[in-house]
Amino acid sequence: MLEDMSGFLTQSLWKAVFLLSLLAVGGGYADSNCTTRRCLAEMLISKNYSSQPQDDNCIQIIKVPFIEYQTLAVDTKDLRLISRLQATIVWMDPELKWDTSVYQYDKVVLPVDKIWTPELHVTNGIVTTMKHSSRDLLAYSNGTVIHNVIINAEVNCEVNLFNYPFAADECPVAIHAWSTDGCGTELVFGVVWMIGSTHGDWKTDDVNLLEKKADQNYIMVSLSITYLNPFITLLVPSILIILADVVSFALPLGGGERNSFKVTLVLSFTMFLIILNNQLPGDGQCSPIIRPHFCICLVFLVLSMLVSLVLTRVAQDGGLNLCCGSKGSVPGNTGNMEEKEAEEAKADISVIQLNASDNQALRKVISFLETLETKELENERRQKFANTLDKIFFWLYLAVGVIYFCAITCVMVLYKCEVNHFDFWYEK
C-alpha cells in the first residue's frame, strides 16, 4: 500500500515538473517571437544605454537642422535679451539599431529619459534652461535619433542705447554643447526661423546663423526700437516745455507774470524728470544721450528764468547793485521825496490862493512837473534798456535752442556707437 502511494506521488511530481518546464519554454518562445512595435521599444529600453555614444575619435556629431527663434523681451534697464529657442536635434546611436527582418518597423517611439540625449547651452546666457518638448523621441532602425528641445535663455547683451529712442543694434545668442580635450559633442547647424517679431517697444528685424570659428556658432539677432511711443512720451514733452519757455518772452517784464510762469516751467520739468527716472534705459558702454539731453533742457530753463529775474531788476532800477545800501532802497526814498514835493506844491498852491504870490507858486509848480518828467524819462530809459537786453537774449536763446535741437536729433538718428558683443569669447 505504501509502495503504491509512493509511486503515485513520484509520478505526480514528475508530471508537475514536466508541465512547468513546458510552460517556461513556451513562455520564452512566445517572448522571443514578440515583434510588435512596443516589444521593440521595450527591447531597446532594456539595453539601458544612458551614456553618450562613443567611437574611436571620441566626438559625437549632433545635427541641428532647424531652430525656431523668438525674442520674448528686451530689458533695457539691466541690458538683457530674453529669448526662446525650439531646436530639432538629430544624432546617431549605433547601439539603438535593430534588424528590420525581425522587427519590421523603420521607426519606434522611446521615452526620452531612458536613453542618452545631448544638451545644448547658451554660451553668453546669464540664465539658461533646456527642457524636452515631449516625454518621447523618435528612433530609426539605422540608429538615427530625432528629438525636439526648448531653450529659454536670458542673454547678457550690451545693447547700443546711445541713440535711444532711435536705437537699433545686433545681439548674439551663442549656442554650444559640451566638449573638452577632443571628447564630447560637436554641433552642425542648419537653418533658423524667426517667429513673433514685435514685443513691446522692441522689434526683431532679422535672425541669422553665423560662425565665428569652428566651435563658435551663434544666432545674430537684429533689434530695433519702435520709436513712436518713447518719442511721444520723452522727447515731445521736453520740446514743448522749451517752446513754451521761448514764447513766454512775449509776457511783459513788469508785474511778475513772466517770472512766475518760468518758475512753474522749471518745477514742472523737474517733476517730469523725477517721474521718468525709473523709465529711462540703464547706463552701459553706450549710455543713452537722452539723459544729458534732459540735463541740458533743464539748464536752458533755469538760465532763462535767472535772466528774466535779472532783467526785471534792471527795468526797475537801471542795473544791478548787490552791495549794501543798494539801489533797492532808492525807490522808497524817491517815493517819499515825491510825496514831500507834492505836499509842498499843495501848500504853495494854497499860499497862492491866500497870498496871491503868483511868481513863486508858478516856479514851484514848474519845478515839480519837471521833476516828474525827469523821473518818467529815467523810467522809460531803464525800461527801454531792459527791453533791448530782453530782445537780444530772446533771439540768442531761440537760435541756440533751434541749433541744439537740430544737432541732438541728428546725433540721435545718425551716430553709431560701437559695442563689442563678443567679449564672452576669449583666447585661452
Side-chain angles (χ1 to χ4, degrees), residues 245-395:
D245 187 53
V246 172
V247 175
S248 68
F249 281 90
L251 296 174
L253 280 175
E257 293 87 354
R258 181 195 289 190
N259 295 336
S260 300
F261 184 74
K262 286 183 177 293
V263 170
T264 303
L265 288 180
V266 171
L267 294 178
S268 300
F269 193 72
T270 304
M271 290 300 299
F272 171 73
L273 295 183
I274 293 174
I275 293 172
L276 288 181
N277 183 50
N278 294 329
Q279 304 298 326
L280 294 176
D283 290 331
Q285 185 175 344
C286 290
S287 180
I289 196 174
I290 197 171
R291 289 180 179 273
H293 162 70
F294 284 148
C295 181
I296 293 173
C297 289
L298 184 59
V299 170
F300 279 174
L301 292 174
V302 173
L303 180 62
S304 174
M305 179 188 68
L306 295 178
V307 170
S308 180
L309 294 174
V310 170
L311 291 180
T312 301
R313 180 63 181 274
V314 170
Q316 182 178 356
D317 297 338
L320 280 178
N321 189 356
L322 302 180
C323 300
C324 296
S326 62
K327 291 184 179 180
S329 60
V330 173
N333 297 333
T334 305
N336 293 332
M337 293 292 293
E338 291 176 357
E339 291 177 359
K340 290 180 180 179
E341 291 178 358
E343 291 176 357
E344 291 177 358
K346 290 179 181 179
D348 292 336
I349 292 172
S350 62
V351 171
I352 292 171
Q353 293 174 351
L354 295 174
N355 301 326
S357 303
D358 296 338
N359 293 332
Q360 185 179 1
L362 286 174
R363 283 196 299 269
K364 289 185 177 288
V365 170
I366 292 171
S367 176
F368 174 72
L369 294 176
E370 288 177 350
T371 303
L372 290 179
E373 185 179 1
T374 302
K375 292 181 182 300
E376 289 179 0
L377 291 175
E378 180 66 19
N379 290 334
E380 289 179 2
R381 186 188 65 80
R382 293 174 181 175
Q383 190 68 38
K384 185 177 180 181
F385 177 66
N387 289 335
T388 302
L389 294 179
D390 190 46
K391 290 180 180 179
I392 293 173
F393 181 76
F394 166 74
W395 289 111

Side-chain angles (χ1 to χ4, degrees), residues 61-355:
I61 302 297
I62 307 297
K63 296 180 180 179
V64 188
F66 178 77
I67 297 178
E68 183 183 271
Y69 175 85
Q70 181 181 12
T71 300
L72 300 181
V74 179
D75 187 353
T76 56
K77 202 69 177 177
D78 297 325
L79 303 181
R80 304 283 175 83
L81 173 65
I82 303 172
S83 307
R84 179 185 181 273
L85 296 89
Q86 182 167 339
T88 300
I89 52 177
V90 181
W91 70 97
M92 290 290 297
D93 194 338
E95 281 75 17
L96 296 181
K97 291 181 180 180
W98 67 84
D99 188 357
T100 53
S101 62
V102 178
Y103 298 97
Q104 299 179 358
Y105 305 102
D106 184 53
K107 51 192 173 184
V108 68
V109 176
L110 298 176
V112 71
D113 58 342
K114 297 299 182 180
I115 66 171
W116 176 84
T117 54
E119 289 188 2
L120 302 183
H121 304 277
V122 177
T123 309
N124 55 335
I126 303 298
V127 179
T128 304
T129 58
M130 191 197 86
K131 62 180 182 180
H132 305 286
S133 62
S134 173
R135 297 176 58 186
D136 301 306
L137 51 76
L138 192 63
Y140 288 83
S141 60
N142 61 352
T144 302
V145 184
I146 298 179
H147 186 43
N148 290 321
V149 295
I150 298 174
I151 303 174
N152 292 302
E154 188 174 330
V155 178
N156 184 21
C157 182
E158 189 80 9
V159 182
N160 176 17
L161 295 174
F162 180 84
N163 309 91
Y164 188 88
F166 304 101
D169 201 5
E170 294 181 335
C171 189
V173 180
I175 304 175
H176 75 282
W178 178 84
S179 65
T180 183
D181 291 337
C183 284
T185 54
E186 180 180 335
L187 299 178
V188 178
F189 290 93
V191 297
V192 62
W193 184 261
M194 177 185 67
I195 62 172
S197 60
T198 305
H199 28 271
D201 290 337
W202 289 86
K203 180 178 66 173
T204 304
D205 297 323
D206 195 15
V207 291
N208 294 290
L209 261 173
L210 302 174
E211 183 181 84
K212 193 173 180 66
K213 290 184 179 179
D215 58 342
Q216 296 179 350
N217 301 281
Y218 61 95
I219 300 174
M220 183 59 80
V221 183
S222 299
L223 300 168
S224 64
I225 193 169
T226 52
Y227 60 85
L228 183 60
N229 183 40
F231 178 78
I232 292 175
T233 57
L234 297 179
L235 285 182
V236 170
S238 65
I239 296 174
L240 293 179
I241 289 178
I242 295 296
L243 180 61
D245 187 53
V246 172
V247 175
S248 68
F249 281 90
L251 296 174
L253 280 175
E257 293 87 354
R258 181 195 289 190
N259 295 336
S260 300
F261 184 74
K262 286 183 177 293
V263 170
T264 303
L265 288 180
V266 171
L267 294 178
S268 300
F269 193 72
T270 304
M271 290 300 299
F272 171 73
L273 295 183
I274 293 174
I275 293 172
L276 288 181
N277 183 50
N278 294 329
Q279 304 298 326
L280 294 176
D283 290 331
Q285 185 175 344
C286 290
S287 180
I289 196 174
I290 197 171
R291 289 180 179 273
H293 162 70
F294 284 148
C295 181
I296 293 173
C297 289
L298 184 59
V299 170
F300 279 174
L301 292 174
V302 173
L303 180 62
S304 174
M305 179 188 68
L306 295 178
V307 170
S308 180
L309 294 174
V310 170
L311 291 180
T312 301
R313 180 63 181 274
V314 170
Q316 182 178 356
D317 297 338
L320 280 178
N321 189 356
L322 302 180
C323 300
C324 296
S326 62
K327 291 184 179 180
S329 60
V330 173
N333 297 333
T334 305
N336 293 332
M337 293 292 293
E338 291 176 357
E339 291 177 359
K340 290 180 180 179
E341 291 178 358
E343 291 176 357
E344 291 177 358
K346 290 179 181 179
D348 292 336
I349 292 172
S350 62
V351 171
I352 292 171
Q353 293 174 351
L354 295 174
N355 301 326

